[in-house]
Each structure stands twice: as C-alpha cells, then as structure tokens.
C-alpha cells in the first residue's frame, strides 16, 4: 500500500487530489486545522469516512512530528510515502496584510515539514510534492514562462513560496530525496474561495442577473492570467511524483485572459453584452446603459503582477500532462450552468 499525506487537504486542490488518490487506491491522510465554528471540511465532507485526518498546523513542528508518528503506527507496512504540501496562506492580497504569518506558513512551514519527513521516513520511500506557483515569475522577465524563466516575485506570498521552492531543491540535492516543485499557474473550480477573482466574477455576475446585486466591484481590470481547472492540475501533481526523477514542472494552459475579458465572458453566458466606458479607476462596465461593474481602488495591490502565461511543454512531453477546459466552461460550472 502507498500512503499519501496531504497538507491543505481541506482546500480547493486538496479536495480534488484526495478524490483522485482514493480512486488510485492510496491510503489518504491529511492535516486539518481546528476552526471555532465549523469543521472546515465542507469540500471533503462526501469522502470524510475514507480519509485519515489529523489536527495540526504548518506553524507547529512538534505537532507535525506527532501526526507522522500516528500515520506510521497505523500504516507500518507501506511501500511509498507521498507527501503533497498544499497548505498555504494562499491569497496574494492578504499576504500584504499578514506578511510574517504568510512567511511562517508558506516558507518556514515547508522547511518544518521537510525536516520532519526526513527524520521520520526512510529516504528511498519519500516522494515530496511542493505547491509552487506562477507568482514566482511576478513582473515577468520572459513570455511565456517556463521552467527556465528567471523568477521576479512581487508579493510576500511569492517571496515565501520562493523560499519554499529553493528549500525543496536544496533538500533534493543535499539529502538525495525525491522532492519536486510543481509551478502551477492559476486554476480554479466551483470549490475555489470566493475572494479569488474568477469566482468573484462568476458569483457577482450571477447575482446581478438574478437581481441580488447591483454592481460588481473589482480592482485591476487589465491584469491577465492563465487559468485552468483544478481537477486537471491535481492529476498533474500526481504525475510529477510518478516521474522517474524529481524535477520542476510548469502546469498551465498557455492561454491568457484579462480580468475585463472574464467579466465579458460571464455576462455572455447569460447572452448579455457589456460595454466599457472610462479609464483606470474610472472605468465602468455598462449593461443596457446601467452600471454593472466598476473599479474600487481597495482591490488594487501594493505591487501587481500584470500578466502570467505558462508554457507547459515540458509537462506535456515528459509527463503526458495536458489540459483543455475553457475559461467559459469553468465560469459556467461555477455558476452551476454547465
Ligand atoms: P486553498 O483553497 O486556499 O487551500 C489552502 C489550504 O491550506 C487549506 O486547506 C487551508 O486550511 C490550509 N492551511 C492554510 N494555512 C494553514 C496552516 N497554518 N496550517 C495548516 N494548513 C493550513 O488553496 P488551493 O487553491 O487549494 O492551493 C493549494 C496550494 O497550491 C497552495 O499552497 C497555493 O498557494 C498553491 N497554488 C495555488 C494555485 C491556484 O491557482 N489555486 C496556483 C499555484 C499554487 P483551512 O481550510 O483550514 O483554511
Ligand atoms: O487575482 C486581479 C488581481 O486573487 C488575479 C492564488 O491562487 O493564483 C492566485 O493568485 C488577478 C490579480 O489570484 C480583483 O489584482 C482584479 O492581478 O484571483 P486572484 P492571484 O493573485 O493570481 C496564484 C497562481 C497563486 O499561487 C495564488 O495562491 O486579478 N483582480 N480585481 C482581483 N483579484 C481579486 N482577488 N479580487 C478582485 O476584486
């Protein structure tokens, strides 16, 4: 039997990955945090009875040690131990408000986990996946971005993830463990948090069309992103760990759309065409002469990543991974109109 341990199992990617790995016959274990009012497991409630969940936190080394002891006591005869490090304070804007916490969880948390893994699991049985991000490219130095593009991070989140990226590479080299970085471009789904832009637009337009919201307020309408479906990306994570050697892989669609285009696509799902008037913070989206979208500066970031477009050729050639879900289909699925 193979064990998969997922930090961030209650998040968007953790939930899809758990379903995928259960189908593959893994014993799926995961780290969850205590929440004061809810269980915090709503994304994995349907598969809860098939999972082994342990309370813990990426900021707590001793707790992580205990979790590994419990897993090893329950599954002493495993062949391979795959670790998917998905836990993170994953919101770029929030990382400007809580930079130290973001670094503690996303950067030092990865170091803590690797250290525990190295102490608890025999080297030859370890397969470690790190959730790296296209945010590492930041203010891009090359278009499109591939595994050889230099990094130029622009937020506390990206800088914390850069530390984690290099820590993974260093553990691979120094200790000879199988540890890989997946450099994933934006991916979303109906399970995404509502404060990320694609989900916010889908839900906002839906509410406007149902008469429950007057105006959708957004920040930088010019920002462009490469956006795929989370279900495909978690399969890519697994493929990265099945490769014959540890490495870095970009997962992306290769297409890029602006925030403004996402708003247009969302209205088009309802057969509506919106027009734009004004520029910068004064720009407005109009539907039949009525303002339905406007800029609110509170959503501007102290430093912005203007555009990201990935080149996933290496993953296609070496892992046989590809993705072809359209942004329009993702928006429809979030709206429940697919
Ligand atoms: P998400 O939905 O925000 O999930 C984050 C997970 O991390 C949640 O389960 C959360 O637990 C957990 N977590 C946060 N802080 C923690 C802590 N201190 N200790 C333990 N667990 C903690 O993010 P996602 O979209 O699934 O992304 C998964 C990973 O991929 C993240 O590392 C993210 O940075 C990275 N990534 C995401 C994208 C993307 O477009 N989605 C692209 C590139 C990389 P709670 O449920 O308790 O909050
Ligand atoms: O912003 C602009 C915003 O917050 C996308 C995370 O999963 O992907 C995600 O990070 C763009 C930015 O995602 C609003 O300024 C405009 O340029 O949806 P987002 P993100 O920052 O790209 C990467 C790959 C990760 O690794 C992260 O974990 O949209 N934007 N107006 C807005 N963004 C938000 N959130 N809200 C707005 O109102």
């Amino acid at each position: 039997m193979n064990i998969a341990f997922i930090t961030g199992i209650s998040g968007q990617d953790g939930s899809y990955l758990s379903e995928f790995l259960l189908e593959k016959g893994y014993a799926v274990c995961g780290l969850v945090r205590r929440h004061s009012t809810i269980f915090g497991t709503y994304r994995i409630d349907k598969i809860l009875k098939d999972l082994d969940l342990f309370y813990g936190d990426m900021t707590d080394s001793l707790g992580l040690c205990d979790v590994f002891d419990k897993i090893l006591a329950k599954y002493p005869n495993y062949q391979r131990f795959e670790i998917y490090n998905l836990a993170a304070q994953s919101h770029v804007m929030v990382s400007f408000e809580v930079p130290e916490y973001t670094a503690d969880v996303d950067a030092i948390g990865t170091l803590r986990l690797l250290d525990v893994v190295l102490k608890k699991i025999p080297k030859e049985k370890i397969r470690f996946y790190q959730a790296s991000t296209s945010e590492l490219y930041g203010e891009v130095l090359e278009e499109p971005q591939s595994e050889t593009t230099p990094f130029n991070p622009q937020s506390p989140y990206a800088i914390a993830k850069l530390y984690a990226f290099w820590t993974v590479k260093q553990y691979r080299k120094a200790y000879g463990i199988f540890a890989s970085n997946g450099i994933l471009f934006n991916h979303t789904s109906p399970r995404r948090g509502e404060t990320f832009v694609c989900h916010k637009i889908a839900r906002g337009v839906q509410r406007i069309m149902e008469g429950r919201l007057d105006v959708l307020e957004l920040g930088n309408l010019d920002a462009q992103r490469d956006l795929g479906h989370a279900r495909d990306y978690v399969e890519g994570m697994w493929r990265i760990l099945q490769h014959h050697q540890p490495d870095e892989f970009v997962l992306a669609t290769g297409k890029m759309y602006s925030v403004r285009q996402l708003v247009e696509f969302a209205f088009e799902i309802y057969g509506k065409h919106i027009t734009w008037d004004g520029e910068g913070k004064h720009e407005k989206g109009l539907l039949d002469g009525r303002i339905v979208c406007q800029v609110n500066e509170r959503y501007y970031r102290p430093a912005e990543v203007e555009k990201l477009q990935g080149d996933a050729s290496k993953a296609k050639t070496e892992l046989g991974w590809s993705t072809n879900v359209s942004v329009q289909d993702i928006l429809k699925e979030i709206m429940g109109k697919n």
Side-chain angles (χ1 to χ4, degrees):
M1 127 128 21
N2 290 334
I3 301 174
F5 174 65
I6 307 172
T7 70
I9 195 167
S10 58
Q12 170 189 256
D13 290 2
S15 68
Y16 283 110
L17 182 63
S18 313
E19 289 165 11
F20 179 84
L21 294 174
L22 284 172
E23 285 280 314
K24 293 257 172 226
Y26 283 76
V28 179
C29 308
L31 189 74
V32 289
R33 297 192 289 177
R34 183 192 165 263
H35 293 245
S36 65
T37 51
I38 49 164
F39 282 119
T41 52
Y42 70 94
R43 291 181 177 110
I44 47 174
D45 277 348
K46 282 191 187 143
I47 52 168
L48 218 46
K49 65 173 179 13
D50 302 318
L51 303 172
D52 276 313
L53 299 183
F54 301 88
Y55 280 116
D57 198 292
M58 295 301 287
T59 58
D60 173 15
S61 316
L62 283 177
L64 288 173
C65 275
D66 282 349
V67 168
F68 274 81
D69 286 342
K70 285 176 193 156
I71 296 172
L72 293 171
K74 182 158 182 190
Y75 301 102
N77 301 316
Y78 62 94
Q79 272 147 14
R80 189 192 277 185
F81 203 123
E82 295 185 4
I83 300 103
Y84 295 86
N85 184 29
L86 310 185
Q89 191 303 92
S90 71
H91 204 287
V92 174
M93 180 69 154
V94 171
S95 78
F96 286 99
E97 289 172 28
V98 288
E100 183 182 333
Y101 175 71
T102 302
D104 197 8
V105 176
D106 300 11
I108 304 299
T110 304
L111 175 74
R112 284 185 192 103
L113 181 62
L114 275 164
D115 209 36
V116 171
V117 166
L118 199 60
K119 288 190 172 80
K120 299 282 177 189
I121 316 290
K123 276 185 195 174
E124 66 282 4
K125 296 197 174 190
I126 299 171
R127 298 247 160 165
F128 189 97
Y129 174 87
Q130 169 60 16
S132 288
T133 164
S134 52
E135 284 293 303
L136 297 176
Y137 300 117
E139 194 176 318
V140 297
L141 299 171
E142 187 178 71
E143 291 175 42
Q145 297 82 52
S146 72
E147 294 79 4
T148 55
T149 304
F151 296 139
N152 190 15
Q154 298 295 314
S155 64
Y157 168 76
I159 293 164
K161 285 283 188 175
L162 186 65
Y163 178 97
F165 176 92
W166 279 106
T167 304
V168 166
K169 283 189 73 138
Q170 200 259 334
Y171 266 64
R172 183 198 307 162
K173 190 169 180 186
Y175 306 112
I177 60 169
F178 191 116
S180 292
N181 281 292
I183 308 173
L184 272 51
F185 282 62
N186 296 55
H187 47 277
T188 190
S189 73
R191 300 185 193 173
R192 192 75 168 119
E194 277 218 26
T195 59
F196 294 95
V197 80
C198 190
H199 210 112
K200 181 173 169 182
I201 291 169
R203 288 266 181 260
V205 168
Q206 191 167 33
R207 284 175 190 136
I208 288 171
M209 295 313 297
E210 291 169 1
R212 293 185 288 130
L213 179 72
D214 292 330
V215 182
L216 172 62
E217 290 194 330
L218 293 166
N220 180 6
L221 298 174
D222 292 319
Q224 298 176 76
R225 289 294 185 273
D226 180 324
L227 200 62
H229 196 297
R231 193 180 286 113
D232 289 348
Y233 287 61
V234 302
E235 181 177 342
M237 296 174 186
W238 175 77
R239 283 177 185 251
I240 287 170
L241 290 199
Q242 311 316 306
H243 198 46
H244 60 89
Q245 61 184 24
D247 206 343
E248 275 65 59
F249 289 98
V250 161
L251 301 185
T253 68
K255 298 188 191 108
M256 182 168 73
Y257 299 101
S258 68
V259 171
R260 188 183 295 100
Q261 280 176 299
L262 296 179
V263 177
E264 291 168 4
F265 295 157
F267 277 107
E268 278 165 17
I269 291 169
Y270 286 88
K272 301 287 180 191
H273 175 72
I274 65 163
T275 55
W276 298 95
D277 187 42
E279 275 181 25
K281 62 183 180 186
H282 302 297
E283 187 167 355
K284 300 197 182 338
L286 304 164
L287 178 64
D288 303 329
R290 178 169 80 90
I291 296 171
V292 287
C293 183
Q294 66 189 21
V295 174
N296 185 332
E297 285 178 279
R298 73 184 281 243
Y299 299 115
Y300 282 171
R301 294 175 180 188
E304 175 63 295
V305 170
E306 288 294 344
K307 55 182 169 180
L308 290 171
Q309 181 178 23
D311 172 1
S313 312
K314 181 177 168 185
K316 189 170 186 185
T317 313
E318 295 190 25
L319 306 175
W321 181 86
S322 64
T323 178
N324 63 1
V325 185
S326 73
V327 162
Q328 284 89 342
D329 282 344
I330 296 172
L331 286 165
K332 272 188 206 159
E333 195 185 331
I334 297 173
M335 291 167 167
K337 293 179 84 69
N338 50 330

